[in-house]
Amino acid sequence: SSSSAFHNDSSSPSSSTQHATSSSPNTTTPTKLPPRPPNTYDNIRTAIVINDGTRTNLIRLIGLKSLFARQLPKMPKEYIARLVFDRRHKSLAILSSDPEKKDCDDEIIGGICYRAYPEMRFAEIAFCAVSASQQVKGYGTKLMNLLKMHAVTEGIEFFITYADNYAIGYFKKQGFTKAVSMPKGRYQGLIKDYDGGTIMECYVHPTIDFTRVPEMIQAQKEFILQRIRAGTAKSDKVVYPPLPPDFYAGQDVKSRAEKGAAERSLAIPGVAEAGWTMADLMASTRDAKDSDKKKHQLKSDLLALVSKVQDQQYSWCFRDPVDTNEVKDYL
């Protein structure tokens, strides 16, 4: 089935992180982490909606069909209805907590319709949309994260969808990629190819709490910073005097050899104390030289290209700027 054009939301859900421990070179005492903040997803009403014939689910399916039809005007309404009510498809819906909206179309804030293929451990996303009045509030990201959490319970490893040009940015933000790593034999013949759509894939890691990804990343960042601070706790507060005028006396300062440049750098007080080694400095010098060579080569290639363009007889009108005294209305 075809994937929807989707207006990206700008906010990301707050999330928390897994426990991490930090150890300094002389101790293995675990780092005490602050208490985990409450998960904002706990206050979201969600439902997995299927066509099981019950009154509640039928009402919600009608609401989802109406939502997809409103937000995806280019999608045939008959096609939307056929997939939403298909018993092989399921929909994850975010529901309004307003009791006055219960059992009506406005109860559906957003939804994702998908079809799972349990034997192949993947699911195809058909439609994804958020109500126009609820966009730019983070519901698009929350929808996808909640779907990933539910997918793990169904044994789904991959999501596949055909995204149109308006939806590619949204799916990229949610971890989808155009590079499909799932073996083609697992999905070939099960999903249809669509003209104008770009096939995209997302791997669903079974152990990640997708509702707490930002906090997990923040904890990893703090852990790395703590390790850096632990390794530089002594050297980063030492102030060295300025280099004397005769510091490089007797050294070949004009040599551009990697070893010579590295030796001069390593002789500066504080460099070795900060953890730099001869191998590190030689590698950085080599990388800098390679970068300079690439820049010079690029400049040479571009100048050659400009020169060849200027030599063309039809380029005469672009060689000099237009004289605005002659062409008054040019600007």
Side-chain angles (χ1 to χ4, degrees):
S1 24
S2 166
S3 164
S4 68
F6 186 85
H7 295 285
N8 289 352
D9 50 74
S10 60
S11 58
S12 298
S14 64
S15 59
S16 177
T17 174
Q18 300 173 348
H19 291 289
T21 58
S22 170
S23 57
S24 64
N26 300 323
T27 180
T28 58
T29 303
T31 300
K32 185 177 180 181
L33 296 176
R36 296 175 72 173
N39 194 334
T40 56
Y41 284 72
D42 294 340
N43 299 323
I44 299 177
R45 288 184 63 222
T46 62
I48 296 295
V49 189
I50 59 175
N51 187 359
D52 58 359
T54 61
R55 179 179 181 275
T56 299
N57 277 348
L58 287 175
I59 292 175
R60 289 173 177 172
L61 286 173
I62 293 173
L64 285 163
K65 175 189 71 70
S66 300
L67 171 67
F68 295 142
R70 286 196 309 270
Q71 298 303 117
L72 311 173
K74 295 183 179 180
M75 196 71 63
K77 294 181 179 180
E78 296 80 5
Y79 179 70
I80 294 175
R82 179 159 58 87
L83 265 60
V84 170
F85 284 94
D86 180 32
R87 295 182 183 273
R88 295 169 297 183
H89 283 73
K90 300 179 182 179
S91 295
L92 171 68
I94 292 182
L95 308 175
S96 172
S97 57
D98 187 350
E100 295 182 359
K101 296 181 179 179
K102 183 175 176 60
D103 293 340
C104 66
D105 287 357
D106 291 339
E107 183 183 20
I108 307 296
I109 292 176
I112 297 180
C113 179
Y114 69 98
R115 179 180 175 181
Y117 295 88
E119 67 281 359
M120 295 300 177
R121 302 190 304 281
F122 82 91
E124 180 187 13
I125 294 177
F127 309 117
C128 174
V130 171
S131 174
S133 62
Q134 299 294 333
Q135 290 191 8
V136 199
K137 295 182 180 180
Y139 283 119
T141 296
K142 290 180 172 67
L143 259 176
M144 190 61 69
N145 287 338
L146 289 167
L147 182 62
K148 291 175 183 178
M149 296 295 291
H150 176 74
V152 173
T153 66
E154 293 190 18
I156 294 173
E157 291 182 345
F158 293 93
F159 280 123
I160 277 189
T161 189
Y162 270 90
D164 60 27
N165 292 334
Y166 297 100
I168 289 176
Y170 164 75
F171 283 110
K172 279 185 175 180
K173 181 180 177 183
Q174 308 309 322
F176 284 72
T177 174
K178 296 179 183 179
V180 179
S181 60
M182 183 172 62
K184 197 171 184 179
R186 284 173 61 174
Y187 65 88
Q188 192 173 28
L190 297 177
I191 64 174
K192 295 180 182 179
D193 294 330
Y194 291 89
D195 294 335
T198 301
I199 188 169
M200 301 187 74
E201 172 200 87
C202 179
Y203 173 67
V204 182
H205 199 287
T207 63
I208 290 180
D209 184 352
F210 291 97
T211 65
R212 294 185 178 273
V213 169
E215 291 181 19
M216 183 191 312
I217 295 174
Q218 182 63 29
Q220 293 172 345
K221 178 181 177 180
E222 289 297 328
F223 175 75
I224 293 173
L225 290 175
Q226 287 175 6
R227 295 300 300 268
I228 293 175
R229 295 186 189 109
T232 60
K234 296 180 180 179
S235 61
D236 64 350
K237 295 180 176 59
V238 178
V239 178
Y240 294 90
L243 298 180
D246 59 346
F247 179 77
Y248 286 114
Q251 299 188 42
D252 184 8
V253 296
K254 295 183 179 181
S255 173
R256 293 184 57 85
E258 295 173 6
K259 186 175 181 181
E263 288 177 344
R264 292 194 299 273
S265 300
L266 197 62
I268 299 174
V271 173
E273 291 79 357
W276 287 89
T277 64
M278 179 65 75
D280 294 334
L281 293 168
M282 290 185 66
S284 63
T285 304
R286 188 181 311 115
D287 292 341
K289 291 176 66 176
D290 291 342
S291 177
D292 288 342
K293 288 181 180 178
K294 291 179 180 178
K295 289 179 181 178
H296 290 310
Q297 182 62 43
L298 177 60
K299 181 179 180 180
S300 176
D301 293 342
L302 292 175
L303 289 174
L305 181 61
V306 171
S307 177
K308 288 184 178 180
V309 171
Q310 290 177 337
D311 290 340
Q312 298 297 316
Q313 60 175 333
Y314 298 109
S315 67
W316 62 269
C317 55
F318 300 104
R319 293 171 190 161
D320 297 312
V322 175
D323 188 349
T324 55
N325 292 323
E326 296 180 2
V327 187
K328 301 291 185 181
D329 59 347
Y330 180 75
L331 300 178

